[in-house]
Amino acid sequence: MRTTISHNVENPEVFKQKLLLWSQQFHEVVWLDSNNYEQTYSSFDAVLAVDAMSSVQTNHCDAFNTLKQYQSNCKDWILGYLTYDLKNDVEPLESHNFDGLEFPDLYFFQPKKLFLLKGNQVEIQYLDIVENDLKTDLKNIQQMNKSTNQQNQDSVKIKMRIHKDAYFEKVNRVLEHIHRGDVYEVNFCQEFYAEDTTINPLETYFKLNEISKPPFATFLRLNDLFLMSSSPERYLKKEGHSIISEPIKGTAKRSMNADEDLQLKTDLSQDEKERSENIMILDLVRNDLSKTAKKGSVRVVELCKVYSFKQVHQMISTVVSEIENSVHPVDVLKSTFPMGSMTGAPKISAMNIIETLEETKRSLYSGAVGYFTPDGNFDFNVVIRSILYNESNNYVSYSVGGAITAKSDPLKEYEECLIKAKAMRDVLEN
């Protein structure tokens, strides 16, 4: 059972910062922040969960059934992540590429302490075994000061896993597959990394979030493993019987000049190649959702709409469906994973090509982070625009990618990757 109180905060932004600073004493942390970005389907402005009462951790083998059992038995808030390589549980696929990060394939935990922020109100839910901590914790949160966490961080020397010429060669191989009819679209990604490197995860997150202010920002800690994400993309949300997916495909840079920026946004909305990318993935998502949907309930509510973020313009479509009471929430995730925006179409063919041409395991990149509520609702982001860090291995990584279609120009695809990578690189290189 949980003890629940509602607490009023004068300045939500200051409280959020103090809350995240306070959370660093714990070994299990999930922080989700909308950055007050206007979202049609948002339930909370921010969520913090810390300190595991129970947890589940596994590799890809039978992972979704393991999660299903854990969620069903727990009947409480659980938060955690799904890595991209859970594809190997869904389909007869394998992953043998290099992995410098070594995240478990799946991890979820039931938090002893939970904070749900909306406007000037924070709902605080503590498991009864720690309810006596509540007043003390609130006092300690208010006393937190950002300067206590700050430390000088050396500039990180970033290396490319796939150099420019090799990238062109690999994209041309993807195009050969497309022209042969093996696949319509492949989301091809490359890793940037640093070895023998120490960073301050929370300070890195603060800097990344300040640059981007995305609607699905995440700070995640699992012992010595960290995710700092400035994701703009929702993977999947369940609210009652409704399922919502908002795939992103189509990117354009921003400009400081208002007229030029508006032109860049307009050009993206009318770009034939970008629209075709988006619609291909939208069709894939519709097909995925139909596996669990009531007949005739899958519908597109927004097609190729361009949204503006601090770093980039993005083309986003929204598709919804309705499910029966009998459908388990984990089955909705399993039937749509990995998200089409990070694979391509057809999905299995695209994933096989990805495995052959990419040189590292994606790990948590292009996976998802989110939560389940006690009544089986959920909300998950897509892990993109993110920095991953294994503190014990002193290994830092971020990956970026783009959709390769028949109309792709390798040079333009490469330049789009650099646009997407800019915020992570700026943060790490100071």
Side-chain angles (χ1 to χ4, degrees):
M1 294 290 292
R2 289 189 178 272
T3 296
T4 301
I5 70 162
S6 185
H7 177 70
N8 189 64
V9 291
E10 289 184 12
N11 188 323
E13 289 307 308
V14 170
F15 183 79
K16 286 198 298 185
Q17 187 176 87
K18 289 177 179 288
L19 192 58
L20 198 45
L21 286 164
W22 170 82
S23 75
Q24 299 308 292
Q25 65 190 288
F26 301 103
H27 291 284
E28 306 91 8
V29 180
V30 170
W31 168 255
L32 306 168
D33 190 356
S34 72
N35 283 297
N36 299 317
Y37 194 91
E38 291 186 18
Q39 298 180 66
T40 306
Y41 302 103
S42 180
S43 297
F44 308 103
D45 294 339
V47 174
L48 175 71
V50 297
D51 201 10
M53 175 64 185
S54 67
S55 65
V56 62
Q57 175 180 315
T58 183
N59 65 14
H60 68 268
C61 295
D62 207 32
F64 280 102
N65 283 336
T66 301
L67 174 60
K68 187 175 180 178
Q69 184 175 9
Y70 179 67
Q71 192 275 334
S72 298
N73 293 338
C74 203
K75 291 187 172 65
D76 192 11
W77 285 87
I78 62 170
L79 297 93
Y81 68 76
L82 312 164
T83 66
Y84 173 77
D85 284 301
L86 292 181
K87 66 182 175 60
N88 302 338
D89 181 35
V90 179
E91 302 292 349
L93 300 166
E94 296 181 340
S95 296
H96 300 292
N97 288 331
F98 172 75
D99 178 14
L101 289 163
E102 299 179 353
F103 276 65
D105 286 341
L106 177 148
Y107 179 79
F108 280 83
F109 74 101
Q110 174 194 16
K112 294 178 184 175
K113 304 180 181 186
L114 179 70
F115 298 78
L116 307 168
L117 287 80
K118 189 78 172 178
N120 286 81
Q121 292 291 312
V122 54
E123 183 179 302
I124 306 171
Q125 297 190 17
Y126 274 31
L127 286 176
D128 289 349
I129 60 164
V130 292
E131 65 174 309
N132 293 332
D133 297 349
L134 214 159
K135 288 183 180 178
T136 303
D137 286 347
L138 268 176
K139 184 178 178 181
N140 290 337
I141 290 164
Q142 295 296 352
Q143 293 173 346
M144 295 305 299
N145 188 324
K146 192 171 184 223
S147 63
T148 59
N149 184 263
Q150 288 178 327
Q151 64 184 52
N152 291 328
Q153 181 174 299
D154 294 334
S155 177
V156 176
K157 185 170 177 56
I158 303 295
K159 301 178 183 177
M160 302 172 70
R161 185 68 64 183
I162 301 173
H163 288 276
K164 190 173 181 179
D165 288 347
Y167 177 86
F168 289 165
E169 180 187 336
K170 287 172 181 287
V171 170
N172 281 320
R173 287 174 64 186
V174 173
L175 288 169
E176 288 173 9
H177 281 288
I178 292 170
H179 295 146
R180 207 163 47 226
D182 302 333
V183 71
Y184 307 115
E185 179 176 333
V186 174
N187 194 78
F188 176 64
C189 301
Q190 57 177 318
E191 184 196 26
F192 297 78
Y193 68 101
E195 299 168 300
D196 302 319
T197 297
T198 301
I199 64 172
N200 180 333
L202 186 59
E203 194 62 28
T204 301
Y205 169 79
F206 279 139
K207 290 178 180 176
L208 183 63
N209 192 53
E210 186 58 36
I211 287 174
S212 304
K213 292 290 184 185
F216 298 99
T218 303
F219 178 91
L220 179 145
R221 178 184 184 183
L222 169 56
N223 299 315
D224 61 341
L225 304 173
F226 295 86
L227 165 72
M228 297 133 277
S229 176
S230 59
S231 174
E233 184 172 2
R234 170 178 276 124
Y235 160 40
L236 212 60
K237 179 180 173 74
K238 177 181 179 290
E239 192 68 49
H241 295 131
S242 298
I243 306 296
I244 303 109
S245 182
E246 297 178 285
I248 290 179
K249 269 288 161 274
T251 304
K253 65 182 180 180
R254 299 293 307 267
S255 172
M256 298 294 287
N257 179 288
D259 290 338
E260 184 182 6
D261 193 58
L262 179 59
Q263 189 60 53
L264 288 165
K265 184 176 181 178
T266 303
D267 290 346
L268 175 60
S269 69
Q270 297 172 353
D271 188 298
E272 186 180 339
K273 174 190 171 291
E274 302 283 14
R275 290 182 69 89
S276 68
E277 279 183 21
N278 192 291
I279 291 167
M280 281 183 201
I281 296 307
L282 178 64
D283 285 342
L284 190 156
V285 172
R286 289 168 61 197
N287 182 66
D288 282 349
L289 290 183
S290 71
K291 297 171 188 174
T292 56
K294 293 179 183 176
K295 189 173 182 180
S297 71
V298 179
R299 58 193 177 89
V300 177
V301 296
E302 205 165 61
L303 180 65
C304 296
K305 183 173 178 179
V306 176
Y307 288 81
S308 298
F309 303 92
K310 283 186 76 172
Q311 292 284 309
V312 291
H313 299 294
Q314 300 276 199
M315 187 180 286
I316 305 177
S317 291
T318 303
V319 58
V320 301
S321 68
E322 297 288 321
I323 60 171
E324 302 281 2
N325 274 333
S326 57
V327 177
H328 195 281
V330 173
D331 288 337
V332 181
L333 291 169
K334 183 178 181 180
S335 64
T336 58
F337 196 84
M339 62 290 298
S341 62
M342 297 308 297
T343 59
K347 194 183 272 188
I348 297 175
S349 298
M351 288 190 288
N352 277 314
I353 292 167
I354 286 166
E355 193 63 35
T356 301
L357 295 180
E358 292 183 11
E359 297 193 6
T360 46
K361 285 179 71 171
R362 291 187 178 182
S363 185
L364 187 45
Y365 171 70
S366 70
V369 176
Y371 62 79
F372 289 89
T373 68
D375 54 4
N377 289 328
F378 60 69
D379 200 1
F380 284 85
N381 69 4
V382 178
V383 180
I384 52 176
R385 320 291 156 81
S386 301
I387 297 169
L388 292 155
Y389 178 45
N390 184 315
E391 189 174 44
S392 296
N393 291 356
N394 301 123
Y395 189 86
V396 178
S397 169
Y398 63 88
S399 295
V400 291
I404 311 302
T405 67
K407 296 179 180 179
S408 289
D409 176 335
L411 177 59
K412 288 182 178 178
E413 295 295 340
Y414 185 78
E415 289 171 346
E416 182 179 311
C417 284
L418 297 184
I419 291 170
K420 292 174 178 175
K422 185 178 186 302
M424 286 90 75
R425 187 166 208 127
D426 286 352
V427 165
L428 292 172
E429 293 188 340
N430 292 326

